[in-house]
Amino acid sequence: SLMRIIISPAKKMVDATDDFASQSLPIYLANTEQILQYLQALSFDQIKRIWKCNDKLAQLNYARIQNMDLTQNLTPAIFSYEGIQYQSMAPDVFTQKQLDYISEHLRILSGFYGILRPFDGIKPYRLEMQAKVQINQSKNLYNFWGRKLYNELFTANKLVVNLASKEYSKAITPYLKPEDEFITCVFGV
């Protein structure tokens, strides 16, 4: 059966539309659109409280969402995130074979996009899975995404290697069935 590897997103993001073309749109783009509309309706102060960041970062991200087009000038997810995990992976020096491998096996969990394939085209955003947002009667993002991320992950396969943080893997674990193989790696320091 097909193996999937799941990882967390990173807070720091870039626009790198020139390097690699995105190959697809995120699976749950309609849901992301709902989240975007919710965020766009908030005042600067409301959204800054959700983001828990300084003014400069809040201003950058507030400007980003005001005129965000989820379908134009996109960067493949794997090249959008700038966190240490992504720098260490260094996908920009991957061979075609390695790029094909991650395309098949790697998935990125996201509060904003739900679940991403490496070459899904995305925009820089700021939204953690544990952010205090209530969209369409859901009490938080775990509730908003519900079983969707689990369902997408376990469609054709029963083996998932979990390299995501608790904040993100918690979007999957409540839905696991006894026959699902979900292997969590603990990185000791």
Side-chain angles (χ1 to χ4, degrees):
S1 73
L2 189 59
M3 176 184 70
R4 294 262 192 262
I5 301 161
I6 53 170
I7 60 176
S8 306
K11 271 195 193 124
K12 210 169 164 229
M13 296 186 72
V14 287
D15 252 322
T17 48
D18 303 336
D19 306 349
F20 277 85
S22 49
Q23 294 170 359
S24 46
L25 288 171
I27 298 157
Y28 295 123
L29 202 58
N31 301 92
T32 303
E33 194 70 64
Q34 294 177 327
I35 297 174
L36 179 59
Q37 285 166 5
Y38 168 88
L39 295 174
Q40 285 171 334
L42 298 176
S43 71
F44 179 77
D45 288 332
Q46 287 174 310
I47 207 162
K48 194 185 156 198
R49 277 200 295 279
I50 288 170
W51 286 334
K52 298 191 178 88
C53 62
N54 64 34
D55 272 350
K56 197 179 156 195
L57 265 175
Q59 273 148 2
L60 165 75
N61 285 287
Y62 187 68
R64 273 175 176 168
I65 63 165
Q66 286 320 303
N67 37 31
M68 187 180 281
D69 181 339
L70 296 171
T71 61
Q72 298 293 316
N73 303 324
L74 306 174
T75 302
I78 196 72
F79 302 107
S80 300
Y81 298 106
E82 273 222 304
I84 196 150
Q85 172 171 222
Y86 293 85
Q87 288 169 16
S88 304
M89 198 185 336
D92 45 339
V93 296
F94 275 12
T95 61
Q96 189 56 52
K97 199 175 165 195
Q98 290 168 317
L99 292 169
D100 293 343
Y101 182 87
I102 61 167
S103 183
E104 179 92 40
H105 298 285
L106 188 68
R107 297 293 177 265
I108 302 161
L109 301 180
S110 159
F112 190 55
Y113 283 103
I115 189 164
L116 291 163
R117 296 162 295 201
F119 294 96
D120 284 347
I122 66 170
K123 297 295 250 196
Y125 66 89
R126 187 181 181 95
L127 191 68
E128 294 180 42
M129 192 63 90
Q130 57 199 2
K132 303 236 183 309
V133 294
Q134 298 176 319
I135 302 159
N136 303 351
Q137 286 87 54
S138 58
K139 60 180 195 286
N140 54 36
L141 285 171
Y142 294 105
N143 198 247
F144 174 82
W145 289 113
R147 307 184 62 87
K148 283 191 178 70
L149 314 189
Y150 165 84
N151 289 345
E152 179 54 34
L153 207 49
F154 280 93
T155 41
N157 51 290
K158 290 275 173 255
L159 171 63
V160 171
V161 178
N162 171 29
L163 303 181
S165 64
K166 248 216 179 84
E167 175 189 351
Y168 287 91
S169 59
K170 252 170 58 183
I172 307 293
T173 49
Y175 305 104
L176 290 172
K177 299 189 186 96
E179 67 269 23
D180 296 331
E181 286 186 88
F182 190 76
I183 299 166
T184 297
C185 300
V186 179
F187 297 97
V189 177

